[in-house]
Amino acid sequence: MKRLTFVPFLILAIASIVLAQAPPQATLRMSAGDKPLTVLPHGSTDLFAIDEVLAALGGTISNDGVGFKASLGQTTAAFGPQSRFGVIRDDLIEMPVPPFVAEGRVYVPIQFLQGFLLRAAQQDTTWDALSRVLSIRPAQQTTVGVQVSVANIQGTSKVVLTLTAPLEYAIVKEQDAYTVRFRGAIRAPYADQAHEDPYVAKTSFAGSDLRILLTSAEVVADAYRLDNPFRIVLDLHKGAAAGPGGLDPGAAGRAVEQPGIHTIVIDAGHGGKEVGAVGPGGLLEKEATLALCRKLAASLESRLKTRVVMTRTDDVVVPLDQRTAIANQYHADLFLSVHMNAALLKGAHGAETYFLSLEASDELARKAAEVENAAAKAAAVPAAPNDLKLILWDLAQQEYLNESSRLAQAVQEEMNRITGVQNRGVKQAPFKVLVGATMPAVLVEVAFITNPDEESRIRSEEFQKIVVSALTTAVERYKADYETRLGIVRAPAVRAPAAPAVTPSTPAAVAPGSQTTPVARTAT
C-alpha cells in the first residue's frame, strides 16, 4: 500500500519538474486581439519567441546557415545566436544578451523587438513583467522615437541614435559624459542601460535628454548627422581631455554631409614583412604598389583637386582591417586598394577589378581573395567571430555596393584600354581589405607580377605613368557620373568604353580592429 501511495506523488513530482523546465507562457497583446506567447527566462532577462511575434504580425523568421533573418513587410533584420548586435540595413540594434536558441526556437530580448518593429512597422513594443503582457501598438506620431546602438568598431566606439523623424538637438560636453538635448518630445527605448564598451559606461534618458556616461574623462567625441534615416552619430575615442561646453555636431561630419567626391583613400597593398607576391625577377608586390600609389595620389590631387589619404607611405605593416578604418575615420568618399596579381600559369596577364561580396563570383576570384587575405589570417587577433560574420553579412548598405560596382567598372574599362587585353571582367570576392568600408570601395590587380613580361612592365616608369593616368581617368569618370546623378555638375566629355554592368550580390561589411596613423595629403 505504501508503494502504491508513493507512485502518484512520484508522477506529480516528475510532472512538476518538466513544467518548471518548460518556457512559461505570457500574452501577446495587439489591436487584433490577444495571443499566447512563449517567454524564456535567461538570467535577469526575459527572452521572447520571435517566431510567434512575427507570425502574429504577418512576418517570418528564417535561418540561412550563418544566422537568422527576421522579415516583416519590406524590412529584414539580421542577427546571430552569439552576437549582441542585430542589423537592420546599416543600423545596429544592441541587446543586453545575445538571442538564444532552444529546441530549434529562437528567443530574443525586448530590445531587438523594439528596434525591429519600430523600423519595420512603426509599432511600439512594451513588456510588463508583472502581468506578463507584451504589448504591440502603433507608435505615437506626436513624439519622435529614438533607438540607441553602441558598438566598438575599428577602435572607435560608435554611438548611433536613430530617430523616426528629424529633430533639432544640441550636444553638451560634461566632465565625464556627453548629453544630447533634443528640442522636442522623444520616446525613449529605456531609462538606463549599461554597456560593455571601452568608452561608454552607460546611456540613460531623462525627459528629452540622453546622457552618455563615459568610462574616462579622456574620451572625446566627433559628432555628425546622417539622413535617410535621420541619425546622430558620436564617434568616441581617446583624446585630450576637453572641458565642459557645447559640441558642434557638424564639425567632424561636414565632409560626410556635403555631397560629391571630396576625399579619396589610396591603399598600397601589403607592406613590411607582408611582401605580397614576388615576381620571377625578384620584384616585390609591396614595393610595386607603394611606388604606383605615390604617383597616383599626386595625380588625383592635381587633376581632381581632392584630398588624398594614403594608408601607408613607407614600407610598414598596416593590418587589413585598419586600412578601411582609416577611410572611415577620414569620412572618405572613395577607397581604392592597389595590388599586383599572381597566377600559377606563366602566361596570365591583364588587370582585374574587384568589389566586395561574401561569395566569390568565380573560383579564380575566390582563390585571389584567399591569397590576399592570408596575411590577415596569420596576424588575426582572436575576436568575436560570430559578431564579425553577422556584421560582415548584412551591415553594409546596398547603395555602397551599387556604387562600388560602378567604380569598379570604370577602373576595369580604363585598365583594359591601356593594356589592350581582352576584358578579364569585374569580379566580386570576400577581400578582407574591403570589409568595413562605408563608401564605394574597389580593389584593382594592376598586372600579373608572376608573369616575367608584366613584371618588367611594372618596373618601368613609363608603364607606371600609363597606369596612373588610367586609374585617375577612371576615378574622374566615376566622380563626374556620381555628381551628375546628384545634380551637382554636368559630366565632362570623358570617354567611357561600353561594357556590361555588374550586379552586386549580398551586402557585407564591418570588422572590428584598431586604428593606425594615416598620412593625409591635401590638395593645394
Side-chain angles (χ1 to χ4, degrees):
M1 290 292 293
K2 289 182 180 179
R3 291 176 64 186
L4 291 175
T5 305
F6 177 72
V7 171
F9 285 104
L10 179 61
I11 294 174
L12 180 62
I14 294 174
S16 299
I17 294 173
V18 172
L19 289 173
Q21 292 177 341
Q25 293 293 314
T27 300
L28 175 61
R29 182 156 296 164
M30 304 179 298
S31 58
D34 291 354
K35 293 181 178 294
L37 176 66
T38 307
V39 179
L40 181 69
H42 187 74
S44 59
T45 304
D46 288 324
L47 303 180
F48 305 87
I50 189 171
D51 61 317
E52 295 178 346
V53 175
L54 290 178
L57 295 169
T60 60
I61 180 76
S62 61
N63 185 340
D64 68 355
V66 178
F68 298 96
K69 283 191 175 182
S71 300
L72 182 59
Q74 301 298 314
T75 303
T76 299
F79 62 96
Q82 298 183 41
S83 171
R84 291 192 307 108
F85 296 98
V87 180
I88 301 179
R89 302 185 187 94
D90 61 337
D91 294 338
L92 291 180
I93 299 178
E94 185 181 17
M95 297 170 273
V97 297
F100 188 77
V101 180
E103 297 182 355
R105 169 167 279 177
V106 186
Y107 296 85
V108 298
I110 184 67
Q111 287 83 356
F112 180 83
L113 293 175
Q114 289 173 330
F116 178 57
L117 296 183
L118 184 62
R119 290 168 172 83
Q122 288 295 300
Q123 298 284 323
D124 276 338
T125 309
T126 57
W127 167 241
D128 188 331
L130 293 178
S131 63
R132 302 191 62 74
V133 174
L134 182 74
S135 299
I136 299 177
R137 60 176 64 89
Q140 297 294 321
Q141 299 301 317
T142 55
T143 58
V144 174
V146 180
Q147 288 294 321
V148 181
S149 70
V150 178
N152 189 269
I153 299 173
Q154 301 163 334
T156 297
S157 292
K158 286 186 174 291
V159 179
V160 182
L161 312 179
T162 304
L163 280 65
T164 56
L167 191 64
E168 292 187 4
Y169 64 94
I171 301 177
V172 178
K173 176 69 170 73
E174 304 171 25
Q175 185 65 29
D176 60 349
Y178 281 95
T179 296
V180 183
R181 291 181 175 164
F182 296 100
R183 293 166 185 164
I186 62 170
R187 184 172 58 257
Y190 52 80
D192 299 278
Q193 183 166 313
H195 301 276
E196 296 180 2
D197 184 90
Y199 300 141
V200 181
K202 184 175 74 171
T203 54
S204 57
F205 286 88
S208 294
D209 288 357
L210 166 63
R211 190 168 189 267
I212 304 168
L213 181 63
L214 308 175
T215 57
S216 167
E218 296 179 349
V219 177
V220 296
D222 299 323
Y224 52 96
R225 189 191 75 196
L226 298 173
D227 296 311
N228 300 317
F230 185 89
R231 285 156 292 168
I232 303 165
V233 183
L234 287 85
D235 287 344
L236 298 167
H237 53 86
K238 280 290 183 70
L247 175 68
D248 177 3
R254 288 192 180 101
V256 172
E257 294 180 313
Q258 293 294 326
I261 306 299
H262 306 290
T263 301
I264 300 171
V265 168
I266 303 299
D267 172 51
H270 303 280
K273 64 181 181 180
E274 303 298 341
V275 299
V278 181
L283 179 61
L284 304 181
E285 181 181 1
K286 67 172 185 176
E287 297 173 351
T289 58
L290 183 57
L292 196 63
C293 285
R294 285 171 174 164
K295 295 180 175 68
L296 177 60
S299 175
L300 290 171
E301 287 178 350
S302 175
R303 282 175 53 176
L304 275 66
K305 307 301 180 185
T306 56
R307 178 172 71 158
V308 177
V309 177
M310 292 185 63
T311 58
R312 69 181 183 95
T313 56
D314 297 305
D315 185 20
V316 295
V317 174
V318 181
L320 297 185
D321 50 9
Q322 290 188 19
R323 297 174 187 244
T324 46
I326 293 169
N328 294 338
Q329 178 183 351
Y330 277 82
H331 304 296
D333 302 298
L334 292 180
F335 178 84
L336 178 61
S337 187
V338 178
H339 291 253
M340 299 295 161
N341 219 336
L344 296 177
L345 298 176
K346 293 183 179 180
H349 58 289
E352 294 177 340
T353 310
Y354 294 83
F355 64 105
L356 186 66
S357 172
L358 276 183
E359 300 296 332
S361 53
D362 56 49
E363 184 63 19
L364 291 178
R366 183 187 65 79
K367 291 181 178 179
E370 286 181 352
V371 171
E372 297 293 355
N373 293 343
K377 291 179 181 179
V381 177
N386 289 285
D387 281 6
L388 174 58
K389 287 180 182 178
L390 171 64
I391 295 173
L392 176 62
W393 167 39
D394 206 28
L395 179 58
Q397 298 181 73
Q398 184 68 35
E399 64 181 281
Y400 294 145
L401 296 185
N402 290 333
E403 294 300 329
S404 296
S405 172
R406 289 175 178 265
L407 175 59
Q409 193 67 47
V411 169
Q412 186 64 34
E413 288 168 357
E414 292 300 326
M415 293 302 296
N416 290 341
R417 178 178 61 83
I418 65 169
T419 59
V421 174
Q422 182 180 3
N423 188 7
R424 297 186 67 92
V426 172
K427 302 180 180 182
Q428 288 184 268
F431 284 97
K432 187 173 175 59
V433 72
L434 299 179
V435 172
T438 54
M439 74 287 300
V442 303
L443 181 147
V444 56
E445 300 273 11
V446 171
F448 282 85
I449 197 172
T450 50
N451 180 324
D453 293 335
E454 294 215 318
E455 179 191 24
S456 177
R457 297 182 70 192
I458 294 168
R459 288 181 185 274
S460 73
E461 287 286 334
E462 181 181 359
F463 180 70
Q464 291 178 23
K465 289 179 181 179
I466 293 173
V467 171
V468 165
S469 177
L471 293 177
T472 302
T473 299
V475 173
E476 188 176 29
R477 279 179 49 194
Y478 173 81
K479 181 177 186 291
D481 171 64
Y482 178 72
E483 293 181 347
T484 299
R485 285 184 280 121
L486 290 181
I488 300 173
V489 295
R490 292 184 178 181
V494 179
R495 183 197 47 75
V502 176
T503 302
S505 61
T506 309
V510 181
S514 54
Q515 293 182 347
T516 187
T517 304
V519 178
R521 299 167 57 91
T522 306
T524 55

Coordinates of all heavy atoms in Angstrom, one line a residue, residues 117-155:
L117 N 10.6 46.2 -34.8 CA 9.2 46.5 -35.1 C 9.0 48.0 -35.3 O 8.1 48.4 -36.1 CB 8.3 46.0 -33.9 CG 8.3 44.5 -33.7 CD1 7.3 44.0 -32.6 CD2 8.0 43.7 -35.0
L118 N 9.7 48.8 -34.6 CA 9.6 50.3 -34.8 C 10.0 50.6 -36.3 O 9.3 51.4 -37.0 CB 10.4 51.1 -33.8 CG 10.3 52.6 -33.9 CD1 8.9 53.0 -33.6 CD2 11.3 53.3 -32.9
R119 N 11.1 50.1 -36.7 CA 11.6 50.4 -38.1 C 10.7 49.7 -39.1 O 10.5 50.3 -40.2 CB 13.1 49.9 -38.2 CG 14.1 50.7 -37.4 CD 15.4 50.0 -37.4 NE 16.5 50.8 -36.8 CZ 16.7 50.9 -35.5 NH1 15.9 50.3 -34.7 NH2 17.7 51.6 -35.0
A120 N 10.3 48.5 -38.9 CA 9.6 47.7 -39.9 C 8.2 48.0 -40.0 O 7.6 48.0 -41.1 CB 9.8 46.2 -39.6
A121 N 7.5 48.4 -38.9 CA 6.1 48.6 -38.9 C 5.6 49.8 -38.1 O 4.3 49.9 -37.9 CB 5.4 47.3 -38.4
Q122 N 6.5 50.6 -37.7 CA 6.1 51.8 -36.8 C 5.2 51.3 -35.7 O 4.2 51.9 -35.3 CB 5.3 52.8 -37.7 CG 6.2 53.6 -38.7 CD 7.2 54.4 -37.9 OE1 6.9 55.3 -37.2 NE2 8.5 54.2 -38.2
Q123 N 5.7 50.3 -35.0 CA 5.0 49.7 -33.8 C 5.8 49.9 -32.6 O 7.1 49.6 -32.6 CB 4.7 48.2 -34.0 CG 3.8 47.9 -35.2 CD 2.3 48.2 -34.9 OE1 1.8 48.0 -33.9 NE2 1.6 48.8 -35.9
D124 N 5.2 50.3 -31.5 CA 5.9 50.4 -30.2 C 5.7 49.0 -29.5 O 4.6 48.4 -29.5 CB 5.3 51.5 -29.3 CG 5.9 52.8 -29.6 OD1 7.0 52.9 -30.2 OD2 5.3 53.9 -29.3
T125 N 6.7 48.6 -28.8 CA 6.7 47.3 -28.1 C 7.1 47.5 -26.6 O 8.1 48.1 -26.3 CB 7.7 46.3 -28.7 OG1 7.5 46.3 -30.1 CG2 7.5 44.9 -28.1
T126 N 6.2 47.1 -25.7 CA 6.5 47.2 -24.3 C 6.2 45.9 -23.6 O 5.4 45.1 -24.0 CB 5.6 48.3 -23.6 OG1 4.2 48.0 -23.8 CG2 6.0 49.7 -24.2
W127 N 6.9 45.6 -22.5 CA 6.8 44.4 -21.7 C 6.5 44.7 -20.3 O 7.3 45.4 -19.6 CB 8.1 43.5 -21.9 CG 8.2 42.4 -20.9 CD1 9.2 42.2 -20.0 CD2 7.4 41.2 -20.9 NE1 9.0 41.0 -19.4 CE2 7.9 40.4 -19.9 CE3 6.2 40.8 -21.6 CZ2 7.3 39.1 -19.6 CZ3 5.6 39.6 -21.3 CH2 6.2 38.8 -20.3
D128 N 5.4 44.2 -19.8 CA 5.0 44.3 -18.4 C 5.3 42.9 -17.7 O 4.6 42.0 -17.9 CB 3.5 44.6 -18.2 CG 3.2 44.9 -16.8 OD1 3.8 44.4 -15.9 OD2 2.2 45.7 -16.6
A129 N 6.4 42.9 -17.0 CA 6.9 41.6 -16.4 C 5.9 41.1 -15.3 O 5.8 39.9 -15.1 CB 8.3 41.8 -15.8
L130 N 5.2 42.0 -14.6 CA 4.3 41.6 -13.6 C 3.1 40.9 -14.1 O 2.7 39.8 -13.7 CB 3.9 42.8 -12.7 CG 5.0 43.4 -11.9 CD1 4.5 44.7 -11.1 CD2 5.6 42.4 -10.9
S131 N 2.4 41.6 -15.1 CA 1.3 41.0 -15.7 C 1.6 40.0 -16.8 O 0.7 39.3 -17.4 CB 0.3 42.1 -16.3 OG 1.0 42.8 -17.3
R132 N 2.9 40.0 -17.2 CA 3.4 39.1 -18.3 C 2.6 39.3 -19.6 O 2.1 38.4 -20.2 CB 3.3 37.6 -17.9 CG 4.1 37.3 -16.6 CD 4.2 35.8 -16.4 NE 5.0 35.2 -17.4 CZ 6.3 35.3 -17.6 NH1 7.0 36.0 -16.8 NH2 6.9 34.6 -18.6
V133 N 2.6 40.6 -20.0 CA 2.0 41.0 -21.2 C 2.9 41.8 -22.1 O 3.5 42.8 -21.6 CB 0.7 41.9 -20.9 CG1 0.1 42.4 -22.2 CG2 -0.3 41.1 -20.2
L134 N 3.1 41.3 -23.3 CA 3.9 42.0 -24.3 C 2.9 42.8 -25.2 O 2.2 42.1 -25.9 CB 4.8 41.0 -25.1 CG 5.7 41.7 -26.2 CD1 6.9 42.4 -25.5 CD2 6.2 40.7 -27.2
S135 N 3.0 44.1 -25.2 CA 2.0 44.9 -25.9 C 2.7 45.5 -27.1 O 3.8 46.0 -27.1 CB 1.5 46.0 -25.0 OG 0.8 45.5 -23.9
I136 N 2.0 45.3 -28.3 CA 2.5 45.9 -29.5 C 1.4 46.8 -30.1 O 0.2 46.4 -30.3 CB 2.8 44.8 -30.6 CG1 3.9 44.0 -30.0 CG2 3.2 45.5 -31.9 CD1 4.3 42.8 -31.0
R137 N 1.7 48.1 -30.2 CA 0.7 49.1 -30.7 C 1.3 50.1 -31.6 O 2.5 50.3 -31.6 CB 0.0 49.8 -29.5 CG 1.0 50.5 -28.6 CD 0.4 51.3 -27.5 NE -0.3 50.4 -26.5 CZ 0.4 49.9 -25.5 NH1 1.7 50.3 -25.3 NH2 -0.2 49.1 -24.6
P138 N 0.5 50.7 -32.4 CA 1.1 51.7 -33.3 C 1.8 52.8 -32.6 O 1.4 53.3 -31.5 CB -0.2 52.3 -34.0 CG -1.2 51.2 -34.0 CD -0.9 50.5 -32.7
A139 N 3.0 53.2 -33.1 CA 3.8 54.2 -32.4 C 3.1 55.6 -32.5 O 2.4 55.9 -33.4 CB 5.1 54.4 -33.1
Q140 N 3.2 56.3 -31.4 CA 2.6 57.6 -31.3 C 3.4 58.6 -32.2 O 4.6 58.6 -32.2 CB 2.7 58.2 -29.9 CG 1.9 57.3 -28.9 CD 0.4 57.4 -29.1 OE1 -0.1 58.5 -29.5 NE2 -0.3 56.3 -29.0
Q141 N 2.6 59.3 -33.0 CA 3.3 60.2 -34.0 C 3.6 61.6 -33.4 O 4.2 62.4 -34.1 CB 2.4 60.3 -35.2 CG 2.1 59.0 -36.0 CD 3.4 58.4 -36.4 OE1 4.3 59.0 -37.0 NE2 3.5 57.0 -36.2
T142 N 3.1 61.8 -32.2 CA 3.3 63.1 -31.6 C 4.7 63.3 -31.0 O 5.2 64.3 -30.8 CB 2.3 63.4 -30.5 OG1 2.3 62.3 -29.6 CG2 0.9 63.5 -31.1
T143 N 5.3 62.1 -30.8 CA 6.7 62.1 -30.3 C 7.6 61.4 -31.3 O 7.2 60.7 -32.2 CB 6.8 61.4 -28.9 OG1 6.3 60.1 -29.1 CG2 5.9 62.2 -27.9
V144 N 8.9 61.7 -31.2 CA 9.9 61.1 -32.1 C 10.6 59.9 -31.4 O 11.1 60.1 -30.3 CB 10.9 62.1 -32.5 CG1 12.0 61.5 -33.3 CG2 10.3 63.3 -33.3
G145 N 10.5 58.8 -32.0 CA 11.2 57.6 -31.4 C 12.7 57.7 -31.5 O 13.2 58.2 -32.5
V146 N 13.4 57.2 -30.5 CA 14.8 57.1 -30.6 C 15.3 55.7 -30.3 O 14.8 55.1 -29.3 CB 15.4 58.1 -29.5 CG1 17.0 58.1 -29.6 CG2 15.0 59.5 -29.7
Q147 N 16.2 55.2 -31.1 CA 16.9 53.9 -30.9 C 18.3 54.2 -30.7 O 18.9 55.0 -31.4 CB 16.6 52.9 -32.0 CG 15.2 52.4 -32.0 CD 14.8 51.6 -30.8 OE1 15.6 50.8 -30.3 NE2 13.6 51.7 -30.3
V148 N 19.0 53.5 -29.8 CA 20.4 53.7 -29.5 C 21.2 52.4 -29.8 O 20.7 51.3 -29.3 CB 20.6 54.1 -28.0 CG1 22.1 54.3 -27.7 CG2 19.8 55.3 -27.7
S149 N 22.3 52.5 -30.4 CA 23.2 51.4 -30.6 C 24.6 51.9 -30.2 O 25.0 53.0 -30.6 CB 23.2 50.8 -32.0 OG 23.7 51.7 -32.9
V150 N 25.3 51.0 -29.6 CA 26.7 51.3 -29.2 C 27.6 50.1 -29.6 O 27.3 49.0 -29.2 CB 26.8 51.5 -27.6 CG1 28.3 51.8 -27.3 CG2 25.9 52.6 -27.2
A151 N 28.5 50.4 -30.4 CA 29.4 49.3 -30.9 C 30.8 49.9 -31.1 O 31.0 51.0 -31.6 CB 28.9 48.8 -32.3
N152 N 31.8 49.1 -30.6 CA 33.2 49.5 -30.8 C 33.7 48.8 -32.1 O 33.8 47.6 -32.2 CB 34.0 49.0 -29.6 CG 35.5 49.6 -29.7 OD1 36.3 49.0 -30.3 ND2 35.7 50.8 -29.2
I153 N 33.9 49.6 -33.1 CA 34.3 49.2 -34.4 C 35.6 49.8 -34.8 O 35.7 51.1 -34.9 CB 33.2 49.5 -35.5 CG1 31.9 48.8 -35.1 CG2 33.7 49.1 -36.9 CD1 30.8 49.1 -36.0
Q154 N 36.6 49.0 -35.0 CA 37.9 49.5 -35.5 C 38.5 50.5 -34.5 O 39.1 51.6 -34.9 CB 37.8 50.1 -36.9 CG 37.3 49.1 -37.9 CD 36.8 49.7 -39.2 OE1 36.3 50.9 -39.2 NE2 36.8 49.0 -40.2
G155 N 38.4 50.3 -33.2 CA 39.0 51.1 -32.2 C 38.2 52.4 -31.9 O 38.6 53.1 -31.0

